[in-house]
Structure formats: C-alpha cells, structure tokens
C-alpha cells in the first residue's frame, strides 16, 4: 500500500490519491519496530532522481545523494537494476496525475530490483531475488532502496532484464483489458489506437498468443512502413493509419476478420470516436489513456443502435482493488512470465540510459512519435 513507503530512500514520505486517501489510511498497516542492526555491506546513501517541486521535468528533476534508512524487521534492502520512464511518471512530476507524492519525491513507478539484504522477520524473500513494485509510488529511479516486504512482489530472474523492468505496468494493463471486459475467443478481433505504445505492443502479443486478431491504429509518420512491419512481426494482424478509419477500405478489412468486440483507447478525441464506429453490436470501448488531451465523444447512434459500452481502466486501481488477496496479481505475473519464456511477449523497443544522462532520457521520453522506451540501467 502507498502509505507504507516511509522506508524508501527519501526517508519519511507518503503517496496519496485525493479520492481514496481516507480509505487507504484505514487499510495501511503499521510498520514493525526498526531493528538495531544496519546494512554493513551496503551503501548508506543512494543516488536518486529527485524532484522538490512539480513542474517541467527538465527543470525540477535533479540527481542527488539521498540517505538510506535502517532496515526494519520486515524490510528488504534492494539494488535497483532497471527502471523505465512511462507517461504517468512524467505526469506525476508535472503535478497532473491522479496520484501525487509528497515532496521531495523520487521519480519512477516501475522497475526491477535485486534483494541485497533482508530484515530478520522477512519470510517471502531472500538475498538475490528479483522483485518489482506491487503498486505505484515507490520511486524507482535510484540505485538502492529500503522497502517493506509487502510493497514488492517476487519475480523470476530467468527472464530478460528489460522484460522484467517493464512488466508491471504496460503488460498488466494490456492483460487485464483483454481479459476483463469482453469474452474474447480465438478468431475474435480487437481494435486499438496508440498501437505502437508499450501497452499497444503488449496487447498485440498477448492477443496473438490467444489467437485474437488485432487492428492496430497509429498516427501517420515518415517511417510508417517500418513501424507497420515491426508491429506485424510481433503478431499484429492489421496496421492502419488513423485516417484510414474514416475510409471505405475498412469495409474491405472486415471481409477478412470480424468486426471487433473490444476497442482499446489510449488517445481520446476524434481517434476514440472513430474506434467506436467500428465496434460490433454490444461491444466495449475501454479508455486507459488520453494522449491527445481531448475528451472522448460518443455518438448517440453508437449508444442507441449499437448499445456499445464505454468503460475506463487504470491498472493502479485494479491493484488497489486486489491488494487484500495477491493471488490475482500473482497469477497474472506468472502467465505473463510464461509468455516471455516462450518468446511470445517481448519488452518494447528500449533505449538504455544511465541515471547521469537523465536530462537526455526525460527529453526523449516527452517527444512525439516516440519509437523507444527510455530505461534507466543502474
């Protein structure tokens, strides 16, 4: 839970969500008494990308030395291995996200770490284990951290590092949207915009593993052919430009695959409206992002004559809803890891950068037509 993060390398800080803060306070567990021993072999400070004010990431994020707290009886000392930059991370720093940390705060909500030392009452983890955050707010852009045992979840270390570092957000989002809104069977179709995003690439691969067709919509760009070839190589059935959604050629496309039961919207605005037009009777559109920063407009005809369902999804809320029983999260991670081992789910295209090059990485992550996810390698 977010309110147990006072053991991270920021010292004492919490992460709150305005609409659920009271509920989280009730759910938060009190920490065990801090043990008297200290981590002798580990550094007493960590390098961390910290921000003291909300605003432009290029202006407010700094690489700083931050003290590490003592290891409590139910804590683990971890070394961060890799942590990506996601759009939500940028929005958090800008102060526009639904969850905002108390300041100062360390950036990053996703990544993989290795356990270096465990508190004397830790039972589920041992030295050498790989772990990822159970929830948002840990601040993963740093070299080490002291975390509560319950704030992380074990991950097998026989999968590629970049797959592990990028597993907890985008693939989980894709997995849940493909599983929870429509009963999809082999041969069914899904249509999505932002198909080249991290979520979009995961949707393509998970759907392909399940025998589901994907109609993948991307914005036009000079390298469209190369992008189309790449998305098809990982399992995409069709790759089309946004403007094609309004053209008669869509009728030809639907001669080779059924109209979609499910539409996945990460853009909003006109792009979302066009996805809705192609849903089959009674289908669902699930919105998980709004890159266009424009509202979703639903045609009246789609509601009346096609009875479409318009839903939203936020993987952070899903994790909150399932935090009391970790079996669903564990089962999802196990299935995703199995797909990775089988070569059916790969990490998105990534650019590996050091913490020292954070300004360059943040700038690249905020550019339009992003072709690679920036990942900090510690």
């Amino acid at each position: 839970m977010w309110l147990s993060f006072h053991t991270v390398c920021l010292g004492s800080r919490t992460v709150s969500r305005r609409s659920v803060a009271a509920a989280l306070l009730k759910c938060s567990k009190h920490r065990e008494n801090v043990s008297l021993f200290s981590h002798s072999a580990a550094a007493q400070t960590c390098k961390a990308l910290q921000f003291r004010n909300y605003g432009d990431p290029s202006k407010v994020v700094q690489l700083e030395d931050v003290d590490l707290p003592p290891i409590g009886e139910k804590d683990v000392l971890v070394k961060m291995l890799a942590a990506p930059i996601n759009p939500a991370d940028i929005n958090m720093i800008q102060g526009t996200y639904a969850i905002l940390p108390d300041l100062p705060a360390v950036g990053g909500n996703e990544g993989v770490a290795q356990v270096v030392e465990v508190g004397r009452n830790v039972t589920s983890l041992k030295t050498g284990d790989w772990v990822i955050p159970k929830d948002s707010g840990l601040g993963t852009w740093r070299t080490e951290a002291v975390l509560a045992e319950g704030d992380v979840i074990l991950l097998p270390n026989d999968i590629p590092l970049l797959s592990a570092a990028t597993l907890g957000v985008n693939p989980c989002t894709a997995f849940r949207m493909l599983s929870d809104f429509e009963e999809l069977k082999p041969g069914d179709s899904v249509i999505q915009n932002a198909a080249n995003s991290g979520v979009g690439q995961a949707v393509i691969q998970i759907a392909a593993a399940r025998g589901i067709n994907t109609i993948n919509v991307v914005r036009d760009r000079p390298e469209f052919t190369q992008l189309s070839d790449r998305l098809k190589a990982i399992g995409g059935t069709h790759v089309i430009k946004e403007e094609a959604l309004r053209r008669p050629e869509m009728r030809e496309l639907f001669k080779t695959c059924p109209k979609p039961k499910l539409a996945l919207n990460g853009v909003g605005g006109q792009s979302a409206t066009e996805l809705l037009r192609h849903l089959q009777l009674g289908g669902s559109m699930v919105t998980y992002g709004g890159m266009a920063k424009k509202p979703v407009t639903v045609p009246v005809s789609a509601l009346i004559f096609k009875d479409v369902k318009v839903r939203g999804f936020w993987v952070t809320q899903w994790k909150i809803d399932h935090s009391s029983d970790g079996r669903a999260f564990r089962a999802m991670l196990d299935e995703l890891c199995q797909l990775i081992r089988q070569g059916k789910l790969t990490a998105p295209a990534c650019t590996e950068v050091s913490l020292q090059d954070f300004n360059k990485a943040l700038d690249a992550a905020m550019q339009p037509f992003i072709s690679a996810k920036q990942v900090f390698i510690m």
Side-chain angles (χ1 to χ4, degrees):
M1 297 298 292
W2 300 323
L3 296 178
S4 61
F5 294 164
H6 59 285
T7 57
V8 300
C9 70
L10 286 180
S12 179
R13 81 171 175 90
T14 60
V15 176
S16 60
R17 180 185 176 203
R18 298 179 185 90
S19 60
V20 298
L24 288 173
L25 281 168
K26 294 179 182 177
C27 295
S28 179
K29 295 182 179 179
H30 294 293
R31 297 296 310 279
E32 302 287 343
N33 293 331
V34 175
S35 62
L36 297 178
F37 68 85
S38 61
H39 35 89
S40 55
Q44 303 299 308
T45 61
C46 69
K47 292 283 188 183
L49 293 177
Q50 189 166 229
F51 56 103
R52 300 179 180 276
N53 300 286
Y54 299 117
D56 182 347
S58 67
K59 296 179 180 178
V60 301
V61 175
Q62 299 293 330
L63 181 60
E64 300 179 359
D65 290 320
V66 183
D67 290 336
L68 285 166
I71 303 175
E73 295 177 351
K74 294 287 287 181
D75 293 338
V76 292
L77 171 67
V78 302
K79 174 185 177 351
M80 291 303 304
L81 301 177
I85 302 176
N86 290 318
D89 304 326
I90 300 296
N91 294 152
M92 244 186 211
I93 297 167
Q94 293 168 332
T96 60
Y97 199 58
I99 297 174
L100 295 178
D102 291 343
L103 300 177
V106 172
N109 291 287
E110 184 182 27
V112 62
Q114 186 173 42
V115 176
V116 175
E117 189 172 338
V118 300
R120 62 189 178 193
N121 289 336
V122 170
T123 59
S124 65
L125 300 169
K126 64 183 185 303
T127 301
D129 283 344
W130 279 15
V131 294
I132 62 172
K134 280 187 178 179
D135 209 341
S136 301
L138 281 182
T140 55
W141 298 348
R142 57 190 176 190
T143 53
E144 292 92 20
V146 176
L147 305 171
E149 177 186 15
D151 288 341
V152 294
I153 188 167
L154 180 67
L155 202 66
N157 58 11
D158 62 347
I159 62 175
L161 179 66
L162 292 178
S163 292
T166 58
L167 185 62
V169 176
N170 292 337
C172 290
T173 298
F175 185 99
R176 297 263 55 101
M177 292 193 300
L178 289 170
S179 304
D180 296 349
F181 295 92
E182 291 289 339
E183 186 178 347
L184 299 172
K185 301 175 182 177
D188 286 341
S189 297
V190 173
I191 190 169
Q192 65 166 341
N193 54 25
N196 59 311
S197 67
V199 172
Q201 292 179 58
V203 165
I204 290 171
Q205 295 177 85
I206 296 169
R210 297 178 179 183
I212 298 166
N213 300 301
T214 52
I215 303 163
N216 302 285
V217 184
V218 297
R219 291 178 293 176
D220 194 10
R221 62 196 69 204
E223 69 278 12
F224 173 80
T225 300
Q226 296 95 311
L227 175 59
S228 175
D229 290 344
R230 181 159 62 86
L231 296 182
K232 288 179 179 178
I234 63 173
T237 314
H238 302 280
V239 181
I240 61 176
K241 301 174 184 177
E242 278 195 339
E243 51 266 34
L245 289 169
R246 297 178 286 275
R247 292 179 178 167
E249 61 197 74
M250 292 300 293
R251 287 197 291 270
E252 294 300 313
L253 186 152
F254 289 127
K255 290 180 180 178
T256 61
C257 72
K259 283 205 164 190
K261 287 183 177 180
L262 181 67
L264 304 177
N265 168 43
V267 177
Q270 185 63 31
S271 177
T273 304
E274 296 300 333
L275 293 186
L276 273 170
R277 297 186 193 281
H278 296 293
L279 276 178
Q280 65 175 248
L281 184 69
S284 296
M285 183 176 79
V286 181
T287 293
Y288 67 92
M291 290 190 297
K293 298 182 179 179
K294 294 180 180 178
V296 172
T297 302
V298 181
V300 172
S301 59
L303 293 173
I304 296 176
F305 302 119
K306 295 179 68 175
D307 193 26
V308 298
K309 300 179 285 290
V310 181
R311 303 288 303 277
F313 181 76
W314 187 29
V315 72
T316 296
Q317 186 63 54
W318 184 91
K319 291 176 181 178
I320 294 170
D321 294 342
H322 294 80
S323 60
S324 61
D325 182 355
R327 287 179 295 182
F329 193 14
R330 178 78 268 162
M332 174 171 62
L333 290 179
D334 289 346
E335 187 169 340
L336 290 171
C337 287
Q338 186 61 24
L339 290 177
I340 292 170
R341 292 190 192 96
Q342 294 170 350
K344 296 179 180 180
L345 177 62
T346 60
C350 294
T351 298
E352 300 180 17
V353 294
S354 67
L355 283 181
Q356 287 74 18
D357 291 329
F358 69 94
N359 275 322
K360 185 164 125 182
L362 289 170
D363 181 66
M366 297 175 67
Q367 296 303 312
F369 303 111
I370 299 170
S371 58
K373 185 181 290 290
Q374 304 295 306
V375 181
F376 293 117
I377 304 296
M378 313 310 174

